[in-house]
Amino acid sequence: MAPTSSRFSRRALLTGLGAGATTLALSACGSNDGGTGGGGNGGTSLSQWYHQYGEDGVQQAVTDWAKNYGAADVRVEWTLGDYASKLSSRLLSGSGVDVFENNGIDPASARKGLYADMSDVMDPIKDQYSEVALKPVTIDGKIWGIPMITDPQLLWYRPSMLEEAGVAVPTTFDELMQAGIELTGGNRKGFFVGNDGGAGVFSQAIAVAAGPELLNDDNTQVTFDTPDVVMGLTALQKAYGAGAMLTGAPTDFWDPTTFNAGLAAITWQGMWALPAMKKALGDDLGVMAVPPVGGSGKQAVLVSQWNEQVAAKASDVEAAKAMAKAQWVDDAEFQKTFAVGFGFHVPPKTATAEATTELQDGLAKQVVDLTNQWGYTAGPYWAPAMGTALTDAATRMLTNGADVASELAAAQKTCQQTLDSLAS
């Protein structure tokens, strides 16, 4: 499939590490549109919401599944535009949505009673999922959704460009930053880690690769303000100052068009783009986790995820839960098709991932293995405002030359205030 901006734009929603970019806004009423009829069986009627996927074939696949579901009439609502706001409005109004996908499950909506508790579905089988897959759906000890697809994000590179420049594949973060500087020349930059130069998702990756991660284990403390994170962001600031970062590209990192065109040697990218990159570059493609930052660091792969949920005010909560379970727990063949038939993702259920042939060799297997070993998500307590605070601080470091240590300390203070507000 040809990579286009619109085709990959939905992946912007996946850059958040936790509740992230699509935490449901408590906004005024909107409306869904683009509905496609499904169902035709059973006496119970259910609406199932999806955002508009860019990949060809997804809408037909989910509509066909709905038509073939025998226990209820299922109408697929293919939602155009601002999915999160429209979904939020329907959840608040208590009508028009029964089953829905969400990549921003958040504590406020759970505690307001907008989500149905899915613990009775997931508790008996949660050992079939990885800890990384369960983290985004777990709030206050309850499970609020069924993981649908996992999206690893990490670094991809052009081996031919490294070989031509005499640069080895980096094994430390300092080597990575130096490699980017040495790979920069002519019309090519060393890095494309976002049009923000790395201030957004890549700065979060640095915090994870430095060891402290973003939040502590019980989600009560923000933990990224450490000397090693300061060192990593200072190295990023130096590479940015040396002109190693591609910015202002026509499309952002989640669209592989810029990388495929040879405008950067190393890029930040999600696994979803692997088919498009392989088609364009063939064997001239390598992948690696973010190398460790500092003496306490570890490799890092950031993970985002879509999850299936049921509205607390669904027309028939139990029927909606049964439908969600039938599709996203029991139907392994559909899950495999959804994961690799229209782009590349990892089924969150371990056995299903292991049975997905397309993920068992080559770069796809490398990504799966790296994700199993180094995958990280901050979970639902990492609120959008926290990501914004860290991104804003990193932006000032990169574009204004602001002091890294003081900016990082201020960002952590802001994030801690936000986190504390979630507990009140």
Side-chain angles (χ1 to χ4, degrees):
M1 58 187 178
T4 65
S5 178
S6 59
R7 190 175 300 277
F8 286 91
S9 61
R10 77 180 182 93
R11 302 306 181 180
L13 302 178
L14 302 179
T15 58
L17 290 171
T22 60
T23 296
L24 300 181
L26 303 181
S27 58
C29 291
S31 63
N32 62 308
D33 46 23
T36 56
N41 302 303
T44 301
S45 295
L46 298 172
S47 64
Q48 184 182 27
W49 279 47
Y50 290 90
H51 76 287
Q52 182 186 17
Y53 282 72
E55 293 90 342
D56 294 337
V58 178
Q59 184 177 9
Q60 189 62 53
V62 299
T63 301
D64 288 346
W65 191 95
K67 288 179 178 177
N68 291 325
Y69 183 60
D73 294 332
V74 180
R75 176 178 173 80
V76 171
E77 299 289 350
W78 193 255
T79 308
L80 311 180
D82 189 347
Y83 177 78
S85 294
K86 293 177 179 178
L87 176 62
S88 175
S89 298
R90 289 303 182 96
L91 290 174
L92 285 169
S93 70
S95 65
V97 58
D98 298 308
V99 184
F100 60 96
E101 61 172 5
N102 189 4
N103 75 336
I105 296 176
D106 70 285
S109 295
R111 293 166 184 165
K112 284 178 179 289
L114 301 184
Y115 307 148
D117 183 357
M118 301 289 285
S119 300
D120 56 338
V121 173
M122 290 298 297
D123 275 344
I125 57 170
K126 62 183 180 182
D127 62 346
Q128 299 176 27
Y129 294 81
S130 69
E131 182 179 345
V132 168
L134 290 174
K135 194 172 182 180
V137 298
T138 305
I139 297 172
D140 298 338
K142 297 180 179 178
I143 299 178
W144 302 94
I146 302 170
M148 295 167 55
I149 50 172
T150 294
D151 283 308
Q153 297 178 33
L154 62 177
L155 293 166
W156 304 77
Y157 61 93
R158 298 279 297 272
S160 65
M161 293 183 179
L162 271 64
E163 182 178 358
E164 180 184 359
V167 173
V169 177
T171 59
T172 70
F173 192 77
D174 284 344
E175 290 178 1
L176 175 68
M177 291 295 100
Q178 184 60 35
I181 294 171
E182 294 179 14
L183 287 162
T184 299
N187 294 326
R188 184 184 72 204
K189 297 290 188 180
F191 295 112
F192 183 43
V193 288
N195 274 326
D196 57 9
V201 65
F202 194 62
S203 70
Q204 298 180 27
I206 291 172
V208 176
E213 304 181 345
L214 300 173
L215 304 175
N216 65 352
D217 289 342
D218 61 4
N219 300 305
T220 58
Q221 296 292 320
V222 180
T223 54
F224 58 68
D225 182 18
T226 72
D228 280 348
V229 177
V230 171
M231 183 171 62
L233 289 173
T234 300
L236 178 69
Q237 186 185 52
K238 177 183 176 183
Y240 185 93
M245 305 297 177
L246 176 63
T247 59
T251 57
D252 217 322
F253 75 84
W254 54 81
D255 184 330
T257 305
T258 296
F259 180 63
N260 290 349
L263 299 181
I266 302 172
T267 189
W268 183 258
Q269 182 58 269
M271 186 182 183
W272 59 78
L274 175 55
M277 291 191 291
K278 284 290 293 182
K279 182 178 181 180
L281 305 174
D283 293 334
D284 190 17
L285 183 65
V287 66
M288 61 181 171
V290 179
V293 179
S296 302
K298 59 186 180 183
Q299 296 184 64
V301 176
L302 303 191
V303 176
S304 55
Q305 184 169 283
W306 283 94
N307 313 287
E308 190 79 343
Q309 293 189 265
V310 169
K313 296 181 180 179
S315 57
D316 187 330
V317 170
E318 293 309 313
K321 284 185 177 182
M323 196 218 82
K325 178 178 180 295
Q327 187 172 22
W328 295 107
V329 174
D330 299 336
D331 194 342
E333 289 305 313
F334 173 79
Q335 293 157 32
K336 287 191 287 185
T337 299
F338 195 87
V340 299
F342 318 103
F344 265 34
H345 320 273
V346 182
K349 198 174 181 182
T350 303
T352 306
E354 291 174 350
T356 304
T357 305
E358 292 85 347
L359 304 180
Q360 302 312 311
D361 58 19
L363 291 171
K365 186 177 188 306
Q366 288 184 44
V367 175
V368 171
D369 290 345
L370 288 169
T371 304
N372 288 338
Q373 187 168 7
W374 303 113
Y376 173 82
T377 183
Y381 296 89
W382 179 254
M386 299 179 188
T388 299
L390 182 54
T391 297
D392 289 348
T395 298
R396 290 189 289 272
M397 297 173 201
L398 298 181
T399 60
N400 300 335
D403 180 71
V404 172
S406 59
E407 287 286 348
L408 194 65
Q412 174 154 310
K413 183 177 180 180
T414 300
C415 290
Q416 186 64 52
Q417 292 170 343
T418 301
L419 183 62
D420 292 344
S421 71
L422 296 178
S424 60

